[in-house]
Amino acid sequence: MRNPYEWLADAINNHTWAVAGVAAAVFILAFFGLSMVTMQTGDDTYLDKTTPRGALLAHYKDTYGSDAIMLIYEADSVRNPDALRYIDNLQEDLRNERYVAGVSGVVDLLKQANGGTLPSSTAEINGIIGQAPPELVERMLPSDLMTISVITLDAGVSTDAQQQVLGNIESAIGISEPPPGLTVTVSGNPAFSKEMGEAMGTQMGVLILAAMLLMVLAVTLLFSHVRYRLLPVGVVAVGLIMTFGFMGLFGIPVSMTVVGAFPVLIGIGIDYAIQLHARFDEEIRHSTIPEAVRTTVTNLGPSVLIAMAATALGFIAMFFAPVPMVADFGSVCTIGVISCYIAALIIVPIFAIVTRYRPKKEVRASGPAPEPGNSLLDRYDHLLGRLAHTVAKHPLPVILIFAVVAAGGYYLDQSVPISADEKTFVPDDMPALQALGKITRTMGATSTIPVVVIADDVRSPETLAWIEQFGTYELEHNDKITGVTSIATLIREYNGGVMPSTRREIGEVIARIPEPILKRHLNGNMEAVLEFSTVSMEMDIARDLVGRIQSDAVWNEPPAGVTVKITGSMEMFAAVMDDISDSRTFMTVLGFAFILGFLILVYRKFGAVSPVIPIVFIVGWNGAIMYLLGLDYTPLTAVLGSMTIGVASEYTILIMERCEEELARGTEFLDAIQTAVQKIGTAVTVSGLTTVFGFAALTLSTFNIISNFGIVTVISVGFSLVGAIVVMPAILALMYRYGSARVPAGART
């Protein structure tokens, strides 16, 4: 069977425009997919709805849950009759909006106490407020400067519908002409999600632009010895557009973590273009364009394919992450590296043929070991060669030193904290976040911990008694819980404070409860919900609270046939923390297994493990850096291990491939290692530094989750270069010294 790379090289040489036409058709298809790319925020990015936990949360939100939109009114005095009249009129308008279940605020309290009409004087207003329950006034009117209206949405309203309601509310406010000095701010989780989605879109554009500019700077500085030095930047731009297009065609949304994938792709994808461009430039200096195309495509194409496949396998390991946004990150990166590889393999040779590529004037000394002093790159090549030769002669001390550091890193990695609080991932000065802070300081924590109770008959006296007893137990035994509402508390409230003892009496009381209130806590005869309100707390404390409620539910022994399940956003984020803790190790181990199996399958010899060994060290070094820099594991930094495996494997595989090529020419193993590092080391360094420039764009993000990821990935790529240029020669030396490769006489020490 004919080698596909030979077929491709011949097709490019003999049918250049036909190949270019096919490539253009694929590009146009991908470009069409750009219009289908969507943004995604909220629960779906954290939890898979096909899992039991995800299905329960989706069921709870569809059946009981209703997000609330808050309007914050601020003025010199919100008790002013004009201000209150404006608030009342606005609330009446908003009650007529679709998907709005109800609107409440301080004006409703005033109207209820004044016979259904709004008081017209400040004295009347102050008198009613002075007689109202203090805790109610504190929530609705925390100060004379601010008051809040709560807009409750229908249960199960979709994200798109929430955005529609938000738009309508903002439009209503825009045309409402508030009194002078009164400002209205829209807040609540739906408003936060909307602003975060808009900020993500802006961030994505800024990061991609910054990464591309940094790529131009890096390639200009580091790739100046070739003609058309900016060609790799154009290639990676094509690969990026193809990635966006295929995301749209495959229905992969842009989430908070996926935003960080694009600078990563620019940094990694440009490697393939640089490697192919550099090899073609090397070949064209002593052959014709068709010969250079053929040599480059047939010799380097498979090597880069292996490196790309290894990188992709590191990302494929993320497919198995339980957090959807992490799996999407892996999907986008996998699509991206494949797109960038194909773009480089096709565009570089076609561009060379179309432009009749001529190399720059030869300024470097020929031969495997150029003498120092000719140019900066010559001196760097020579330095790498000497370093590799020295390391290869004394491999054990080098390996031991780096292994000890890696072991320390793995130990410290266990102490790196985990964060899953979405509010800490976004910029501190985001208006929606600041507005939420005002709401929390004024009204307390707005989130609750729902507990779903499932039974053959939740209306039975025994089940209702247990629901009431469990709610009371948690309220009395947990200082983080401030209140509880359930079907049991509603029945007692609508029955004069007494819990009925028979089914008939229970049915009569339930019939008196207004339907909108009832359906927030009861679903037919087989399901009910308790909702625990809590104080505001850090996510790790919330995780402990959720765990305690779960234990208490078991300890309180529900009646036979009754099932108790905890759900809600707080439980979801607590679960995400556990998922991050478990999945980061799983993804790293799986990434190692994938790449090790792939290398053994490709090379079919024990020496195939050599590119993996430096990566084991690098992952350990990453753990040490995370700990020393005081960074947290988030849904994005959780991918660091498997991503590092993918990135570093490219460098170590390319070094091994070139060493094998030199050995095949009859070179002895120390000289082969030296020549391999000397020949490929500069290209690896240039591609590594350009990758660093691409990843550095992440540090410019105002999203903490992305900027912290940028810091550790930049350092990780630096570690990858050290692993390839310093550790890999030591590993190869041991492999060749004690393996089946020829070893020169006297080389064994």
Side-chain angles (χ1 to χ4, degrees), residues 573-719:
F573 284 117
V576 168
M577 293 181 71
D578 294 331
D579 289 341
I580 292 172
S581 178
D582 297 337
S583 65
R584 65 187 176 89
T585 302
F586 175 73
M587 287 188 296
T588 301
V589 172
L590 194 61
F592 275 125
F594 280 168
I595 290 180
L596 187 60
F598 172 73
L599 292 176
I600 292 175
L601 181 65
V602 170
Y603 294 105
R604 298 183 182 180
K605 61 180 181 180
F606 177 73
V609 304
S610 57
V612 177
I613 298 173
I615 305 173
V616 175
F617 295 173
I618 296 166
V619 172
W621 305 341
N622 287 343
I625 283 296
M626 290 284 293
Y627 178 83
L628 295 174
L629 293 180
L631 300 176
D632 295 349
Y633 275 116
T634 65
L636 194 49
T637 50
V639 309
L640 184 62
S642 53
M643 193 194 75
T644 299
I645 294 170
V647 173
S649 62
E650 177 190 348
Y651 304 147
T652 56
I653 287 172
L654 288 174
I655 294 287
M656 185 185 74
E657 280 279 322
R658 189 57 184 256
C659 190
E660 292 284 344
E661 187 177 328
E662 295 300 324
L663 286 171
R665 294 174 180 171
T667 310
E668 297 297 346
F669 87 101
L670 285 177
D671 293 334
I673 293 172
Q674 177 177 350
T675 303
V677 174
Q678 192 164 301
K679 286 286 188 182
I680 207 75
T682 299
V684 166
T685 302
V686 170
S687 61
L689 289 177
T690 53
T691 302
V692 165
F693 273 65
F695 285 15
L698 293 166
T699 64
L700 303 176
S701 175
T702 56
F703 278 64
N704 299 324
I705 186 175
I706 297 176
S707 59
N708 290 342
F709 178 63
I711 293 170
V712 294
T713 50
V714 164
I715 296 172
S716 179
V717 174
F719 286 160

Side-chain angles (χ1 to χ4, degrees), residues 357-369:
Y357 189 100
R358 291 178 296 105
K360 282 188 173 182
K361 184 179 178 182
E362 183 71 64
V363 295
R364 302 178 65 185
S366 59

Side-chain angles (χ1 to χ4, degrees), residues 529-597:
V529 165
L530 297 91
E531 285 194 340
F532 293 106
S533 55
T534 68
V535 299
S536 181
M537 65 191 111
E538 299 293 331
M539 192 52 62
D540 56 342
I541 298 175
R543 178 171 64 168
D544 293 338
L545 175 60
V546 170
R548 179 172 175 179
I549 294 175
Q550 288 173 329
S551 300
D552 289 346
V554 176
W555 189 83
N556 277 270
E557 297 183 356
V562 173
T563 303
V564 180
K565 297 179 180 180
I566 300 177
T567 187
S569 296
M570 198 174 295
E571 192 277 340
M572 176 190 72
F573 284 117
V576 168
M577 293 181 71
D578 294 331
D579 289 341
I580 292 172
S581 178
D582 297 337
S583 65
R584 65 187 176 89
T585 302
F586 175 73
M587 287 188 296
T588 301
V589 172
L590 194 61
F592 275 125
F594 280 168
I595 290 180
L596 187 60

Side-chain angles (χ1 to χ4, degrees), residues 723-741:
I725 294 173
V726 180
V727 180
M728 190 62 185
I731 301 298
L732 289 173
L734 286 182
M735 291 290 181
Y736 295 136
R737 189 186 300 270
Y738 302 110
S740 59

